[in-house]
Amino acid sequence: MAITFSQNVFERICTSATNSTAEVYDMIAPHLDDTLQSINRVLLGDMADKLDSVPGLESAVVKLVCLRTYQEQIPQLDLVLTPTGFGVVSNQNLAPASADRVKNLLQQVTNSAEDAYDRCLELLVGTDWADTAQARINIPNLIYTARQLKMYVEFPSEDVHRSKLVECRSRMYQAEEKLRQHVSAEFFDHILEQTRHNAYTKEETAMADYMCKFIGFCIAKDWAAAKDMLERIENYAEAKAETFTAYKNSEAYKVKHFQTYQNEKDDSTYFWG
């Protein structure tokens, strides 16, 4: 389906660009379609033609496109602060907005754009999108939105948005590799796949929460809490092995439960020693 943009829609989303004339929108508009195509490639994939199949997705994508385009174009615009918002300097009698004001505006718009991206992800999980390459690219970890990151890691002095999630990604991979070593790559990959499909069972919901807590402790470098949580994860996997078939069928499980040969007297190959 085709998305159409207008000054009214753009200014409703990017309120700081509200102006009695169309100065800002006219400079932004030529770039909106390029941004949309980029988002189609990186995020939406085939879902770009089925936005109306997911309630709220089209409006979320429109918001993301407007904010992302505004974010990318702010450094190129010669902005002036007006009573209604930021406009474009159009004559020598208008003083450009201060560098600090423009910097603060750019940060606010960036934060909003990142939150809009996360909202699109939340709407896409559990749909046909979950089986696409875009799903694997955008949800490579169990914690995949800033909202989740704030749930599992305390950042007392920071406003947390998607850029912080990206910053923490290397620690996430390290923590998840430890989980793979302890409860098998097969089982971890199954939980991650269930995350993309939004299809946890009751037991998987608890396990995913334990895993995210472990990852959060690793990000925060709370190694004592991480060690305790890893032990809980292993114990829970063992207790629910009949339910967690991906774990029970894994090589890691077989190695843990391998029984060495028992030398019995009644055995025809009994060995003295």
Side-chain angles (χ1 to χ4, degrees):
M1 62 179 297
I3 291 179
T4 57
F5 300 95
S6 67
Q7 181 184 351
N8 180 57
V9 169
F10 176 78
E11 291 184 349
R12 180 164 44 82
I13 294 168
C14 304
T15 54
S16 64
T18 302
N19 203 278
S20 57
T21 65
E23 293 169 329
V24 175
Y25 179 72
D26 285 346
M27 298 186 75
I28 295 290
H31 305 280
L32 289 169
D33 191 59
D34 289 342
T35 303
L36 176 59
Q37 295 308 314
S38 174
I39 289 169
N40 286 346
R41 289 191 302 271
V42 176
L43 175 62
L44 297 174
D46 293 340
M47 288 300 293
D49 297 321
K50 298 182 286 185
L51 296 181
D52 56 353
S53 67
V54 181
L57 182 58
E58 181 181 357
S59 61
V61 170
V62 169
K63 183 175 184 179
L64 172 59
V65 171
C66 290
L67 287 165
R68 175 74 67 80
T69 307
Y70 192 27
Q71 171 199 353
E72 292 174 349
Q73 294 304 313
I74 282 174
Q76 321 301 326
L77 300 174
D78 199 5
L79 295 176
V80 60
L81 188 60
T82 74
T84 54
F86 284 87
V88 178
V89 175
S90 56
N91 64 65
Q92 60 185 7
N93 296 321
L94 295 174
S98 69
D100 283 344
R101 284 187 181 275
V102 175
K103 180 181 178 181
N104 290 338
L105 170 65
L106 179 57
Q107 189 60 62
Q108 291 169 8
V109 174
T110 298
N111 291 346
S112 296
E114 291 184 357
D115 293 345
Y117 196 99
D118 278 1
R119 181 56 183 154
C120 288
L121 282 178
E122 290 171 346
L123 291 168
L124 286 165
V125 295
T127 69
D128 293 343
W129 177 86
D131 292 314
T132 67
Q134 284 80 11
R136 292 189 292 275
I137 291 169
N138 285 278
I139 305 183
N141 309 102
L142 289 184
I143 298 175
Y144 60 91
T145 67
R147 189 198 305 269
Q148 289 176 294
L149 186 63
K150 286 187 284 189
M151 287 174 56
Y152 291 106
V153 187
E154 288 189 23
F155 297 99
S157 61
E158 294 183 64
D159 195 12
V160 179
H161 300 278
R162 190 165 185 80
S163 54
K164 175 59 68 174
L165 181 82
V166 174
E167 184 183 317
C168 293
R169 187 152 279 165
S170 62
R171 290 185 191 172
M172 287 188 207
Y173 279 121
Q174 290 170 355
E176 290 177 352
E177 183 58 32
K178 185 65 67 175
L179 290 171
R180 289 169 179 273
Q181 292 170 6
H182 282 260
V183 291
S184 83
E186 295 91 338
F187 182 49
F188 179 82
D189 287 341
H190 171 75
I191 295 295
L192 185 55
E193 196 64 24
Q194 292 291 83
T195 300
R196 298 182 187 120
H197 285 84
N198 192 27
Y200 292 142
T201 64
K202 178 182 177 181
E203 293 80 9
E204 288 169 351
T205 297
M207 177 58 83
D209 180 53
Y210 291 156
M211 287 180 169
C212 287
K213 285 175 179 174
F214 170 74
I215 294 165
F217 290 139
C218 290
I219 291 172
K221 297 183 179 181
D222 187 344
W223 306 122
K227 181 180 178 182
D228 290 343
M229 186 55 63
L230 187 58
E231 184 176 346
R232 178 180 293 188
I233 289 168
E234 287 192 282
N235 290 340
Y236 190 60
E238 287 291 324
K240 300 292 182 179
E242 295 302 320
T243 300
F244 295 146
T245 53
Y247 172 61
K248 189 171 183 181
N249 293 334
S250 70
E251 287 301 315
Y253 180 88
K254 293 173 183 176
V255 169
K256 283 183 182 180
H257 294 267
F258 177 72
Q259 296 294 318
T260 56
Y261 177 73
Q262 299 297 314
N263 192 18
E264 302 293 344
K265 286 186 177 181
D266 292 339
D267 222 327
S268 59
T269 55
Y270 178 69
F271 296 102
W272 295 92

